[in-house]
Every structure is written in structure tokens, then in C-alpha cells.
Amino acid sequence: MTDYAPTPEFTEQAVGQASLYDEAADHEAFWAARAREYVTWSQDFGTTLDWSDAPFAKWFVGGELNASYNCVDRHVEAGNGDRVALHVVGANGDDRTITYADLLREVSKAANALESLGVTKGDRVAIYMPMIPEAVIAMLACARIGAPHSVVFGGFSSDALKARIEDGEAKLVITSDGQFRKGKAMPLKEAVDRAVPGTTAGKVLVVKRTGIDVEWDDERDVWWHEVVDSASDQHEAPAHDSEHPLFILYTSGTTGKPKGILHTTGGYLTQCAYTNAVVHDVHPETDVYWCTADIGWVTGHSYIVYGPLANGATQVLFEGTPDSPHQGVFWEIVEKYKVSILYTAPTAIRTFMKWGADIPAKYDLSSIRVLGSVGEPINPEAWRWYREHIGGGSAPIVDTWWQTETGAIMNSPLPGVTTLEPGSSQRPIPGISAEILDDEGQPLTEPEKVGYLVLTKPWPSMLRGIWGDPERYKDTYWSRFGPEYYFAGDGAKYDADGNIWILGRVDDVMNVSGHRLSTAEIESALVSHPRVAEAAVVGASDETTGQAVVAFAILRQDGETGGAESDELVQELRNHVGQQIGPIAKPRQIMIVDELPKTRSGKIMRRLLKDVAENREIGDVTTLADSSVMNLIKDGMAKPS
Ligand code: PRX
């Protein structure tokens, strides 16, 4: 049996030591110490945690700070201005190096420019950009002013962008003319032009990235290079309250309407910086860290922008995709920049496995000393491949479980302390408390019994609510097992060694390539098509993407179906979903059916559809209103299309 215990050499140099677990016995004292260790406060805080209005938490009460100052200025003040903050790897061969001193100038200019466009503290700013440094600069400039940003993933459609601008009532949108995708310039501002009319957004700030032609509205649109380049590079970072909103980030829930997850400043920054230090084992003076997420997701927020920059780390920012210009591009980057810490997603790892170990074998990956995984469960086979072929057979892998709502890592091994268990994120990190409850809310301790993962104590980077919807916040997270338990929405079990295994979502949320998608959101996109009467969507297991979207649709009676027309229609429906939500939401398969399996109360039994989608024996059909429906669906599937 392979022993995955840390080596003594690793343990000796590790940031996160075993003593942290002991220290965390005093929950609030532990977090107060982390807040003072990792964050520079302009005004020290008094009370560590105010939970009197639970589940609405206040952390580090009375404290004041500026997140942007913490991520940039203080490193320059400490004499590290020449340290590289970002090795920018462009998708067009145009690499750049940005030091902390450069970053300070750029963020200050951008903050001045945003103010000149009328953005003030409290205003929301939507950011819809590719993975270019201006995206990071824009986020930090917003944080500096105290204008919460709402980053919308650049792969989302203009409809999805519009819904998010409207919900957050954003005053300004920051975007780029276009973006490079596999060497080609693709439009981006175009989607903003369609999204903005009729919303609160009065101005659009546009970075020129590709030089492609764009429509221009002189009243509304402003070039980044015109207002930012000419702005002063001096900007005093004002102090903001610890609980001042830092950002809103939308994520899928069980209903069709995405939730605007609200994060505030002091607690969020504390936990991002602390976890990045102890889990990724970042030594800012020597490490080169690379998180391959997109800033449009929470991983990019916490582990590209706020955590590593607060720690003064040197990182890689990659604009491209793993297969362009070739399938070895990740490893070429690791070799070139001597990346020592790599944080990526299981779906990427499984893709690399499929492409073959001979590709990474062509590169020198000896700089790698820590590997991370995030976004979905990593299957032990992928874990071993990652360790063997990327980690040189020895790099610890930190499998980190967390969520948009938790803001930062919650369950993970500490690489210098924990004996690793492939496939499990193992246990809560010091400062976090989790349990597994059964259906009745009783704690499960026995191994292999499946229950629900809950968090039992408030934590600094916890969401502070759902933007504009406090009731939904309480209902979604704090009611399933009563107000003391945060219900994460994940099924989980212990193994015989006490490791926690996350078994995936227990609600109607799918996880496709580590991206959260709601079945309801895709169903409502499908029924918004004139030909569709009713739709049901399930997440079916998929070898590469973890889960894949499989849809079942009933057509309106007035249209023709069958034969070639139905193939075309399926394609049209897939594109329709892509247009409504974004390409990531396009179903892998759409099956046109005559009926859907429903209970007598009319609820669609997704469990049975999942059996069909995963080619399994159909489970218990006794609660179906009409038990012949499943035969019809199965027969329909067996027919060649
Ligand atoms: O189901 C869990 C899964 O991803 C969900 C959170 O998704 P999101 O808010 O988009 O954040 C993803 C990045 C933090 C969780 O409820 N998940 C995330 N990480 C893991 C995971 N499942 C198992 N193991 C993980 N390491």
C-alpha cells in the first residue's frame, strides 16, 4: 500500500503546521489571530464574531481595511515592488510581466478612472472580461473604491449578463472589445451591447484586447486606454468597514434564478489569504503559483486575485485554454516559469489523462512541489495519474472542497501534516467545523453511512447573504437542519479513517466540468423555445466532465417531429440553450419524448430520467402516476435517430 504521508523535508518547511489544529480549539481566538497575521488593518477590530443576528454574521467588528491595499500597496511598501505579481501568458503569444509596483500604478490609475466615470463607494460594477490582467486590475480598483464588483464569466450569454446587471443594479460594465479563443479573435463587447440597454448601467468601459471592430456609443462607451492610461497613478486607498461588501458573484441554485452570493471584506480576505498560505503552502519569496481557474468563478476570485495577491505571491495568469496552441501548453508554461504550485480541476486532469502521459513527459516539471484540485470530486485514478505524471510521484495533492458560498477552502488536507487519501478532501481545515447528518438531522459517525454535509460554526469568509433576498438565504442554507447548521447541498460519508468523502449535490444542481448549473435554469431556457412544451434536465455522469447535461423535451403539438427534422431541431435547441445561458450549459444530449415521468402530484422524477441517461436499469417506478411512461421513453431512446 502506498504511503501518502508527507516527507519530513516537506513538513519542516510547510507553512501549515499541525499545531494549527490545536490552536483552533478556541474558534474565535484562532480566527482573530489569523486576521491579524494575514491582513493589515487601518483600524483594528474589537469583537471577533457577532452572531447575534444569525444567520447574518459580522466578523472582525469595527475593523477597517482596504482589500486592494492589502493585495498591492503593502507589498510595495515592504520593499517588494520589484517582485513579479503576474506572469501574464497571453493567448496570442503576447506575454507580459507585471510587478507589484506595476500593479500598484495600474490599480491606482484604474481607481482614479472609475471615479472619474462617477463610480463611488457602494456602486456595483459588472465585469465581463477574458483572462487578461485588466480584469484583475479592474477587480482591485473596485475593491479600492469600495464599489462591489460582480464578475460575470465571459462565456455567459448576453441574456445571462443582462439578468446579472439588472439584479445587482450595476452602474458600469467593464469589458473588452473581444477575446482570443484558440488563436482567433472573437467578439465580446457585442454581448454587452445587447445586454446593457434598459438597465441601470450608464457607462461601458472597454479594454482594447483584439482590435476587432466594435459598435460604439459615444455617450455610453469609453475606451480603457483613454481614461485609465491618462489617469494619475497615485490613489490613496480609503479604509472600509470589515463588513463592507466586496463583491457579488452569481451561482446556480435549485430554482431558475441565479443567486447573487454576497461576500464582504475583512473575513473573506482573512480566510482567502490564510488558506492560500497553509493549504497551497505558498512561500511568496520563492514559489511560482498557478491557479488555472477563470476569474469569472469563485476560484478565480479567491485563489487568483484575493488570496495569492494578499500573500504577495508570484503567479501565472493564463489567457488561453489547455489545448491551444497545442495539448502540451500547460506543461510548457510550467517549465518556462518554473511553476511550483499548480491548482486545477479534475475535469482538466481527466482530459490530460485522455491525451496521454507522453505529452507532459516531454517537459521539465521538476519545479512542481504542490498540486491542488478543486470543483468536484476527483476520482482516485485521476488523483494517482496527477501525482505520478505531473507531481513527479511525490508532490502532495490538496483536494479542496468549498463553494461559492463558503468563499474559501473548507475541507482539505494540509500538505505538510496530512497523510493523503486519494479521492477525498479528508477533513475540515483548522478553524472549520463540519459534520455529516442523516435525514433526521442526527450526526452520523459510522463509516460508509451516507448523509448530508453541514458546517457547524460560522467562518470568516462565509457568504453574508443572497443579494436582495434575505429570505432565500435563510431558506436555502439555514433551514434544512435548523438554524445552527449550514446546509451545503452536498451528500457525504466518512470512511473508516474518519476522512470525509463528498458524494456530489443532493439538490437539483449539476456539476459540469466543475461549473455549477441548475436543472431548473436549463429547463426554463428550453421551454422558452417556441417548439418546446415541457422539459426535464438531469446531470448524467460523464467520464471527462464529471457530469453532463442531458435533457428530455416534449414538443408542442402544433409542430412536426421525427426524422432529419428532429436532428436539426435538437441542434437548434442546444444552440438556444447556449444563447440563453452560455455554451457551458448546452446539453450533451436532448431527447425528444412524448411524456415525462411524473409522480401523482406532478413532480418530475429526475431520478428515473437519470437512470435512462446513464443507461442503467430503471429504478422503482411505483410512485409514478403512469408507470408505462418509462417504457415509452426507453423505447424512444432505443430507436435510431
Ligand atoms: O458539490 C461541491 C463541488 O462543487 C460545489 C460548489 O460549486 P461552486 O460554488 O461552483 O464552487 C466550485 C469551486 C469551489 C460543491 O457544493 N465541489 C467543489 N470542490 C469539490 C467539490 N466536490 C468534491 N470535492 C471537491 N474538492
Side-chain angles (χ1 to χ4, degrees):
M1 170 111 190
T2 320
D3 182 14
Y4 292 122
T7 60
E9 300 76 53
F10 194 100
T11 300
E12 199 188 328
Q13 61 81 55
V15 182
Q17 294 290 332
S19 55
L20 285 169
Y21 290 98
D22 305 327
E23 208 190 316
D26 186 339
H27 189 63
E28 290 181 30
F30 174 84
W31 282 113
R34 300 293 80 73
R36 294 192 176 103
E37 181 181 357
Y38 286 98
V39 170
T40 304
W41 299 82
S42 337
Q43 161 88 48
D44 194 16
F45 53 89
T47 307
T48 300
L49 167 66
D50 177 358
W51 192 230
S52 58
D53 186 25
F56 298 93
K58 287 195 178 82
W59 278 90
F60 311 127
V61 183
E64 292 181 4
L65 74 163
N66 187 291
S68 170
Y69 171 86
N70 271 275
C71 290
V72 190
D73 309 45
R74 66 171 174 161
H75 307 310
V76 179
E77 286 172 12
N80 295 320
D82 291 339
R83 184 184 296 163
V84 175
L86 301 172
H87 288 294
V88 179
V89 184
N92 209 28
D94 43 357
D95 302 353
R96 283 161 69 184
T97 301
I98 298 178
T99 64
Y100 275 96
D102 297 333
L103 195 59
L104 176 56
R105 277 189 293 274
E106 293 304 320
V107 171
S108 301
K109 283 180 176 192
N112 282 319
L114 289 180
E115 284 176 341
S116 75
L117 293 172
V119 177
T120 56
K121 182 169 177 169
D123 289 339
R124 273 82 61 202
V125 174
I127 297 178
Y128 184 67
M129 295 172 91
M131 283 289 289
I132 55 177
E134 287 81 358
V136 177
I137 292 164
M139 289 166 77
L140 292 170
C142 288
R144 200 170 182 92
I145 298 171
H149 50 72
S150 162
V151 180
V152 180
F153 174 55
F156 276 131
S157 67
S158 74
D159 288 355
L161 172 63
K162 189 182 189 77
R164 286 157 176 75
I165 294 173
E166 280 174 342
D167 188 75
E169 295 178 293
K171 187 168 183 179
L172 174 94
V173 181
I174 310 180
T175 188
S176 64
D177 55 350
Q179 57 182 333
F180 288 108
R181 276 285 162 260
K182 303 193 201 295
K184 265 179 50 192
M186 309 290 283
L188 191 67
K189 179 175 183 287
E190 208 177 86
V192 178
D193 292 338
R194 276 181 275 129
V196 161
T199 67
T200 43
K203 291 272 174 220
V204 177
L205 183 57
V206 189
V207 174
K208 188 175 257 178
R209 173 64 187 117
T210 59
I212 55 171
D213 282 342
V214 287
E215 298 269 313
W216 202 256
D217 176 341
D218 283 331
E219 295 290 300
R220 189 196 68 187
D221 299 341
V222 183
W223 282 114
W224 174 282
H225 58 262
E226 284 178 5
V227 287
V228 175
D229 290 3
S230 58
S232 158
D233 62 8
Q234 303 292 314
H235 185 278
E236 182 89 24
H240 300 301
D241 190 89
S242 177
E243 283 299 335
H244 186 69
L246 182 62
F247 66 86
I248 308 168
L249 184 59
Y250 288 83
T251 190
S252 297
T254 46
T255 70
K257 189 174 181 279
K259 301 178 282 198
I261 303 299
L262 173 66
H263 283 287
T264 60
T265 311
Y268 173 79
L269 195 65
T270 297
Q271 197 171 326
C272 285
Y274 155 69
T275 49
N276 178 241
V278 303
V279 175
H280 296 116
D281 195 46
V282 172
H283 297 259
E285 308 77 26
T286 47
D287 276 314
V288 177
Y289 164 94
W290 181 19
C291 166
T292 68
D294 190 285
I295 48 126
W297 309 110
V298 75
T299 308
H301 282 59
S302 304
Y303 297 108
I304 294 177
V305 181
Y306 291 106
L309 293 178
N311 287 332
T314 293
Q315 48 180 334
V316 168
L317 186 76
F318 180 44
E319 189 185 3
T321 48
D323 56 352
S324 174
H326 56 82
Q327 294 176 341
V329 65
F330 264 41
W331 320 122
E332 190 174 75
I333 292 171
V334 167
E335 179 180 279
K336 178 167 177 192
Y337 295 99
K338 298 195 168 35
V339 170
S340 52
I341 305 168
L342 178 69
Y343 192 33
T344 193
T347 184
I349 299 163
R350 290 192 294 264
T351 304
F352 298 137
M353 271 175 84
K354 218 163 52 183
W355 291 344
D358 52 322
I359 299 178
K362 288 188 208 134
Y363 299 89
D364 177 5
L365 307 183
S366 60
S367 54
I368 287 185
R369 53 176 211 88
V370 180
L371 295 172
S373 173
V374 58
E376 55 178 314
I378 176 166
N379 44 313
E381 196 195 355
W383 193 103
R384 293 200 184 88
W385 188 94
Y386 193 30
R387 168 121 161 163
E388 191 56 37
H389 297 287
I390 309 303
S394 62
I397 298 177
V398 288
D399 176 1
T400 61
W401 174 86
W402 58 293
Q403 311 176 297
T404 307
E405 291 87 340
T406 69
I409 293 168
M410 305 296 282
N411 288 3
S412 171
L414 291 190
V417 180
T418 317
T419 296
L420 305 170
E421 177 61 42
S424 162
S425 51
Q426 300 193 276
R427 51 196 76 194
I429 57 161
I432 300 301
S433 308
E435 279 181 16
I436 300 174
L437 303 184
D438 68 11
D439 274 318
E440 274 71 55
Q442 294 306 312
L444 286 172
T445 45
E446 251 181 274
E448 303 305 325
K449 288 253 183 296
V450 175
Y452 305 94
L453 187 71
V454 294
L455 302 166
T456 55
K457 283 189 187 139
W459 63 100
S461 65
M462 64 194 282
L463 75 165
R464 298 304 195 264
I466 294 177
W467 186 257
D469 203 345
E471 283 310 311
R472 192 176 178 195
Y473 168 62
K474 285 198 248 179
D475 289 350
T476 311
Y477 306 106
W478 303 96
S479 67
R480 175 71 176 82
F481 296 108
E484 298 95 86
Y485 294 109
Y486 170 88
F487 172 52
D490 278 317
K493 63 169 192 184
Y494 289 109
D495 65 15
D497 298 322
N499 293 307
I500 295 176
W501 290 72
I502 306 290
L503 304 171
R505 305 288 307 186
V506 294
D507 51 13
D508 294 329
V509 172
M510 295 168 290
N511 191 327
V512 179
S513 298
H515 302 321
R516 252 165 88 167
L517 295 168
S518 95
T519 53
E521 206 177 345
I522 300 177
E523 284 163 5
S524 66
L526 280 167
V527 295
S528 74
H529 189 280
R531 295 288 306 276
V532 178
E534 206 178 343
V537 165
V538 296
S541 58
D542 183 282
E543 231 175 70
T544 307
T545 58
Q547 282 189 314
V549 180
V550 176
F552 297 81
I554 302 179
L555 298 183
R556 284 177 192 267
Q557 290 301 314
D558 43 9
E560 287 292 305
T561 53
E565 206 235 335
S566 111
D567 284 351
E568 252 167 56
L569 180 64
V570 162
Q571 205 43 44
E572 189 180 317
L573 294 179
R574 291 185 71 239
N575 291 338
H576 180 71
V577 173
Q579 202 182 14
Q580 293 275 307
I581 304 171
I584 46 162
K586 278 189 187 177
R588 181 186 72 184
Q589 252 174 308
I590 299 180
M591 293 177 230
I592 308 290
V593 293
D594 293 327
E595 294 285 352
L596 288 170
K598 288 191 186 149
T599 59
R600 285 172 200 100
S601 59
K603 198 168 154 25
I604 295 174
M605 293 189 70
R606 287 202 182 74
R607 173 173 63 76
L608 298 177
L609 293 174
K610 214 169 147 146
D611 289 342
V612 174
E614 293 178 347
N615 285 324
R616 255 199 315 270
E617 272 300 294
I618 310 282
D620 184 5
V621 294
T622 47
T623 50
L624 275 183
D626 173 2
S627 58
S628 63
V629 167
M630 288 316 294
N631 292 336
L632 276 176
I633 293 177
K634 263 181 47 187
D635 292 349
M637 280 195 58
K639 267 191 251 152
S641 57

